């Protein structure tokens, strides 16, 4: 919106214009805004803006000063959190249905749904809690209202398996924050899954998510450690430091 409003004026003044936009959705308005930009930044190959020749793919930018792995910290066994706004687009309902499938298979787990809901999502959040009660898994699933950004490091550090249910094109920073914190990270993001162990991907359905969580729970310790090490290496390549270096180099070339 800012580029649409000011892009022509900025061009006439000879100012450089850079846009950061990373989302699978876009429109002709995005196309018009791109015309006024010198460069466009995004992190996902599946972002709408990835189609432009002037687009530069960037590191995600996880703050590794906040999110880091401490092997001495104990995690709740077989634990997995949902972290994000409780809204239909984040798909926490798929997470809950996957947990129900695990319960039907007699797979034990501890789950935390951690995140706020906006006023217009209040009914959805209420129905989600009712669904947990209906499925009879309330003793294994807890709900926590939103926490501060810094406090999310505690959520990662206390759980073993982090699940991200966002579709390709969004490439959430939480993937890398969780990886840097020592979690095993399950995702349906093609961007992320192209670089990580095949055990960590699922197809977006509750059934496949349940399968993937169960397989991760059963991984031998040595294999878990190796995957965590690889995830941390990937997180380091997408650190805030790497992001900053790249932004500066791209803006001053």
């Amino acid at each position: 919106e800012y580029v649409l409003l000011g892009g022509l004026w900025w061009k006439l003044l000879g100012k450089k214009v850079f846009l950061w936009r990373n989302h699978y959705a876009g429109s002709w308005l995005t196309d018009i805004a791109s015309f006024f930009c010198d460069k466009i930044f995004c992190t996902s190959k599946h972002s709408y803006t990835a189609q432009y020749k002037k687009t530069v793919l960037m590191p995600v930018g996880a703050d590794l000063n906040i999110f880091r792995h401490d092997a001495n910290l104990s995690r709740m066994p077989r634990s997995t959190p949902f972290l994000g706004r409780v809204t239909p687009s984040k798909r926490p309902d798929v997470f809950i249905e996957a947990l129900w499938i695990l319960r039907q298979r007699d797979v034990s787990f501890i789950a935390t749904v951690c995140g706020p809901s906006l006023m217009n999502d209040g009914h959805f959040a209420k129905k989600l809690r009712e669904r947990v009660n209906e499925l009879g898994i309330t003793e294994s699933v807890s709900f926590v209202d939103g926490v501060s950004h810094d406090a999310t490091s505690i959520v990662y550090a206390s759980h073993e398996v982090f699940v991200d249910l966002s579709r390709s094109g969004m490439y959430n920073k939480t993937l890398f924050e969780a990886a840097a914190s020592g979690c095993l990270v399950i995702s349906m993001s093609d961007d992320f899954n192209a670089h990580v162990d095949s055990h960590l991907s699922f197809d977006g359905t509750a059934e496949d998510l349940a399968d993937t969580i169960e397989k991760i729970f059963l991984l031998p310790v040595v294999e878990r450690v190796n995957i965590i090490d690889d995830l941390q290496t990937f997180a380091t390549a997408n650190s805030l430091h790497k992001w900053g270096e790249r932004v500066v180099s791209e803006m001053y070339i």
Side-chain angles (χ1 to χ4, degrees), residues 3 16-17 49 60 66 69 90 106 128 148 224:
V3 178
K16 284 191 173 183
V17 180
T49 51
V60 172
I66 297 175
H69 180 39
K90 299 293 185 181
D106 292 323
L128 195 68
S148 67
R224 279 170 166 253

Side-chain angles (χ1 to χ4, degrees), residues 7-193:
L8 178 59
W9 178 244
W10 294 334
K11 279 293 184 184
L12 291 173
L13 291 175
K15 296 180 180 292
K16 284 191 173 183
V17 180
F18 302 94
L19 173 66
W20 181 283
R21 192 177 190 281
N22 196 71
H23 200 278
Y24 57 81
S27 70
W28 60 274
L29 291 173
T30 317
D31 299 335
I32 293 174
S34 72
F35 177 78
F36 296 112
C37 297
D38 291 274
K39 288 183 180 180
I40 299 168
F41 300 131
C42 68
T43 62
S44 171
K45 293 179 180 179
H46 302 278
S47 171
Y48 182 89
T49 51
Q51 65 182 298
Y52 307 126
K53 290 183 178 180
K54 61 180 69 175
T55 296
V56 180
L57 288 175
M58 301 291 290
V60 172
D63 189 345
L64 301 192
N65 290 320
I66 297 175
F67 303 100
R68 51 186 180 272
H69 180 39
D70 186 344
N72 296 318
L73 291 176
S74 60
R75 300 172 188 266
M76 294 181 289
R78 296 194 169 202
S79 58
T80 177
F82 170 89
L83 182 62
R85 280 191 300 111
V86 180
T87 183
S89 65
K90 299 293 185 181
R91 307 173 74 234
D93 51 325
V94 176
F95 180 65
I96 296 301
E97 295 304 319
L99 297 178
W100 166 233
I101 294 170
L102 291 175
R103 173 54 52 83
Q104 290 179 305
R105 298 175 183 174
D106 292 323
V107 176
S108 61
F109 62 85
I110 299 170
T112 307
V113 178
C114 183
S117 58
L118 300 179
M119 187 176 297
N120 58 348
D121 291 322
H123 180 70
F124 175 79
K126 181 175 180 290
K127 296 294 290 185
L128 195 68
R129 290 174 182 259
E130 290 174 351
R131 181 61 175 160
V132 168
N133 186 60
E134 176 186 322
L135 296 173
I137 55 176
T138 52
E139 79 284 359
S140 300
V141 182
S142 59
F143 286 83
V144 179
D145 290 334
V147 297
S148 67
H149 180 62
D150 290 354
T152 57
S153 61
I154 300 172
V155 177
Y156 298 131
S158 59
H159 292 80
E160 288 187 337
V161 179
F162 177 76
V163 177
D164 178 75
L165 295 105
S166 299
R167 57 173 285 185
S168 299
M170 299 181 73
Y171 216 9
N172 288 338
K173 196 177 294 185
T174 53
L175 289 164
F176 296 90
E177 294 171 350
S181 302
C183 291
L184 292 154
V185 181
I186 297 174
S187 172
M188 59 179 288
S189 166
D190 291 337
D191 298 289
F192 190 76
N193 293 334

Side-chain angles (χ1 to χ4, degrees), residues 188-222:
M188 59 179 288
S189 166
D190 291 337
D191 298 289
F192 190 76
N193 293 334
H195 299 278
V196 301
D197 190 278
S198 59
H199 285 100
L200 302 174
S201 64
F202 78 107
D203 65 9
T205 64
E207 292 79 7
D208 196 47
L209 177 55
D211 290 343
T212 305
I213 293 174
E214 185 175 6
K215 289 174 185 175
I216 292 294
F217 281 168
L218 296 175
L219 282 177
V221 173
V222 173

Side-chain angles (χ1 to χ4, degrees), residues 217-248:
F217 281 168
L218 296 175
L219 282 177
V221 173
V222 173
E223 192 168 355
R224 279 170 166 253
V225 171
N226 289 336
I227 293 174
I228 289 171
D229 287 344
D230 289 342
L231 284 170
Q232 289 187 290
T233 299
F234 189 33
T236 300
N238 283 273
S239 69
L240 187 59
H241 178 72
K242 294 291 185 183
W243 178 90
E245 288 182 337
R246 188 71 182 281
V247 166
V248 170

